[in-house]
Amino acid sequence: GMPAAPPPVLAPRRPTRQIKVGKVLVGGDAPISVQSMTTTKTTDINGTLQQIAELTATGCDIVRVAVPSQDDADVLHIIAKKSQIPVIADIHFQPKYVYAAIDAGCAAVRVNPGNIRQFDDQVKGIAQAATDAGVSIRIGVNAGSLDKRIMDKYGAPTPEALVESALWEASLFEEHGFRDFKISVKHHDPVVMVRAYELLSDACDYPLHLGVTEAGPSFQGTIKSAVAFGALLSKGIGDTIRVSLSAPPAKEVKVGIKILESLNLRPRQLEIVSCPSCGRAQVDVYTLAENVTKGLEGLKVPLRVAVMGCVVNGPGEAREADLGVASGNGKGQIFVKGKVIKTVPEDQIVETLIAEANRIAEEAPEG
Ligand code: SF4
């Protein structure tokens, strides 16, 4: 039959230049990538590689590691070589670590303009080394470390200040013909951050790395990031994203992927359609949804699973989904692709759904 039409998106992607972060393309028509950053000491090679492996398994596309010292710079070649996803070296202050990261085989280097003034006379060398090695750069402007000259001019890290800082830094690289960079203008306030990216997107066609910096602990950070990224992505702004949470980095990746999936910017994988429950519920919907979610974690096929508390909307939603349950009277009607395949007692609902999901996954064509 006809191939299915791609799911609708809220706005076409704004055109941006495309750069390479190792094997991952960023910008242009490349899929929006998800990034995270390791929390281990980079010198702890095994710990760092283990965390990168976990991030990779979670679906992370690009990983960043901090390089605060020479010892960190010295182990980059091992990490860059053994990581399955491109590694970005995060460098403040020290141009010599930029060269070290390029030599070590890192896919990209992140530099911070607030700290880069002293790089001015070194930009030419960095641009040349990056060009020779096919390494890209992220210009990472951060509200907390804005260039003093710009802080004096604006008095606060306003959207205009963040953008001016970013464009000034970009111009330093442009002077040497270097354009293989992406830009971020992070702020902890989603409103300021969104405005800054909107202005930046109007002012240049460099790929944009979205981030709400210091977004906070899991709950708050997830909401701030989802709101801010949602506002921008729904206008087609953003080429790669990093959710910052005071939580393990794999969680950042899960949130990032879910944000993209919610906007149809990445094919949906597992999606649980569960009702909020109400006075009509005849099962414990929360526990049921939680257990089904846990049982299906890691399933790598697109699957919409409906978990419904009663027979009012239950059968309807369960029928629309690939798989579902509508509960009532201590039993669950199990639906597969719209048909009731069996009715099981309440205590067998979870195991039945998991078994059916795995069966569907096995029969699914490789994607
Ligand atoms: Fe309430 Fe039933 Fe709707 Fe769940 S499906 S919210 S239990 S009416």
Side-chain angles (χ1 to χ4, degrees):
M2 294 274 289
V9 293
L10 289 166
R13 189 95 162 268
R14 292 226 190 161
T16 53
R17 299 169 58 85
Q18 191 168 72
I19 63 166
K20 264 199 277 193
V21 178
K23 63 181 179 184
V24 177
L25 297 174
V26 174
D29 59 1
I32 298 169
S33 46
V34 173
Q35 309 199 14
S36 186
M37 188 166 180
T38 50
T39 55
T40 50
K41 296 272 179 234
T42 304
T43 48
D44 171 9
I45 298 171
N46 286 338
T48 301
L49 285 171
Q50 206 176 322
Q51 200 171 60
I52 292 175
E54 191 194 338
L55 289 170
T56 307
T58 310
C60 187
D61 299 302
I62 298 169
V63 67
R64 186 154 45 104
V65 302
V67 187
S69 76
Q70 187 62 49
D71 288 344
D72 298 299
D74 288 343
V75 301
L76 282 178
H77 67 283
I78 304 174
I79 290 168
K81 191 165 174 203
K82 295 208 170 155
S83 171
Q84 290 162 291
I85 54 177
V87 173
I88 302 182
D90 191 86
I91 295 167
H92 294 198
F93 305 114
Q94 292 275 11
K96 67 176 175 179
Y97 300 159
V98 176
Y99 291 108
I102 292 171
D103 286 344
C106 289
V109 177
R110 182 268 171 125
V111 294
N112 185 325
N115 303 323
I116 210 178
R117 291 225 86 185
Q118 58 198 314
F119 285 20
D120 269 26
D121 55 342
Q122 304 228 27
V123 172
K124 186 178 181 187
I126 290 172
Q128 191 60 55
T131 302
D132 292 347
V135 162
S136 57
I137 284 180
R138 167 153 72 96
I139 295 171
V141 178
N142 213 313
S145 54
L146 212 52
D147 183 66
K148 186 175 177 310
R149 179 177 56 89
I150 289 171
M151 270 304 267
D152 289 347
K153 177 172 167 189
Y154 289 92
T158 60
E160 291 77 11
L162 293 167
V163 170
E164 182 172 325
S165 178
L167 294 177
W168 168 71
E169 177 63 16
S171 74
L172 294 182
F173 284 103
E174 287 164 344
E175 270 172 35
H176 302 290
F178 187 83
R179 290 189 172 76
D180 293 336
F181 51 81
K182 56 194 169 91
I183 306 182
S184 61
V185 280
K186 297 192 180 184
H187 195 287
H188 64 85
D189 181 334
V191 174
V192 177
M193 176 274 195
V194 168
R195 194 69 200 118
Y197 278 98
E198 285 173 343
L199 293 173
L200 186 59
S201 174
D202 287 342
C204 71
D205 67 351
Y206 292 111
L208 301 184
H209 164 117
L210 302 188
V212 176
T213 192
E214 293 109 29
S218 207
F219 175 73
Q220 176 188 295
T222 297
I223 291 171
K224 277 190 173 187
S225 299
V227 168
F229 295 7
L232 291 164
L233 293 168
S234 67
K235 293 180 181 164
I237 300 172
D239 300 284
T240 184
I241 64 171
R242 192 262 171 123
V243 173
S244 302
L245 301 177
S246 306
K251 183 128 195 184
E252 298 183 341
V253 173
K254 286 183 190 174
V255 172
I257 290 173
K258 210 43 126 179
I259 291 171
L260 294 180
E261 287 183 0
S262 300
L263 291 165
N264 286 341
L265 294 169
R266 182 178 278 231
R268 292 186 187 189
Q269 297 291 327
L270 177 64
E271 185 184 2
I272 306 285
V273 179
S274 59
C275 80
S277 182
C278 74
R280 290 183 204 92
Q282 294 178 1
V283 288
D284 176 356
V285 177
Y286 298 174
T287 307
L288 196 56
E290 183 92 20
N291 289 341
V292 171
T293 304
K294 272 197 202 119
L296 296 180
E297 208 179 299
L299 209 69
K300 287 282 186 253
V301 291
L303 197 67
R304 178 196 275 244
V305 182
V307 177
M308 307 297 287
C310 78
V311 292
V312 174
N313 296 318
E317 284 288 358
R319 233 176 265 129
E320 289 296 307
D322 299 300
L323 177 63
V325 59
S327 307
N329 291 330
K331 288 183 217 128
Q333 282 186 315
I334 307 291
F335 290 78
V336 174
K337 309 272 183 213
K339 296 208 175 65
V340 180
I341 57 151
K342 61 178 101 167
T343 300
V344 298
E346 192 175 325
D347 62 0
Q348 287 173 27
I349 292 174
V350 174
E351 59 191 271
T352 308
L353 285 177
I354 292 170
E356 288 302 322
N358 284 311
R359 200 178 49 72
I360 294 171
E362 270 166 35
E363 286 169 11
E366 293 286 320

